[in-house]
Amino acid sequence: MLNIALPKGRLGESVYTAFERAGFPCPSILENSRKLIFENAEADVRYFWVKPSDVAIYVERGAADVGVAGKDILLEYEPDVYELLDLGVGKCRMAVAAPKGWRDNPQHTLRVATKFSRIARGHYAAAGRDIDIIHLNGSIEIAPILGLSDVIVDIVETGTTLRENDLEVVETVVPISARLIANRSSFIFKTEQIDRLTRELARESGGEA
Ligand code: PRP
């Protein structure tokens, strides 16, 4: 049986539809319930809904054979998994943002608020810029408004959150999208199923395997 971890929420629901079309149906998942695990013995598949940022943990530790995780999570936590396919959905970007009109002063250490400390560190190390990371868990946009930081490094999708808080993008760090990932030993022991899933998803998403 193939165990699949999907990110809870709208992205996960559209990803399930793609998995269904790829030949891994589990109709009970569409029932509106609080259940988190769904199985279709006939199709030899079991799905579970997990917090998007936890998918990679389930897959890395083998509780799930495959899953769908954002590239942001893969870059930040570097889980020991195979990245099989860019699904071409959940597209957004990791960006540096600051209050409108903000200008960097290279004489000062830059204070960066973010949930993505590793990504932010890597970005500024490559630029040779001294920074002080302020690690937050959410509502990052508030930090520069209250003077806690100079800039933020965060996900920008529509740009609405930035606009509504009088912030603007300073630069893009990296484009983000949802990726199909696999546990390393599952990939060896369930090769045929995982290959078929990857191929079919690649065909319909036009993604890159
Ligand atoms: C993400 C991100 C931004 C927002 C960007 O937040 O951290 O706040 O979405 O989307 P937009 O450009 O379409 O406005 P999320 O909803 O994941 O919550 P959190 O980061 O505050 O936990």
Side-chain angles (χ1 to χ4, degrees), residues 115 137-141 154-162:
K115 259 200 297 206
N137 296 302
S139 302
I140 316 293
E141 291 83 359
D154 201 12
I155 299 282
V156 178
E157 191 180 355
T158 60
T160 309
T161 313
L162 292 184

Side-chain angles (χ1 to χ4, degrees), residues 85-98:
L85 181 68
D86 182 345
L87 292 166
V89 294
K91 284 189 178 175
C92 52
R93 57 181 164 151
M94 185 69 62
V96 177

Side-chain angles (χ1 to χ4, degrees), residues 52-61 68-69 73-74 77 79 81 181:
S53 52
D54 289 341
V55 168
I57 298 172
Y58 283 83
V59 174
E60 181 177 36
R61 292 178 171 265
V68 172
I73 300 296
L74 302 180
Y77 299 103
V81 297
I181 57 173

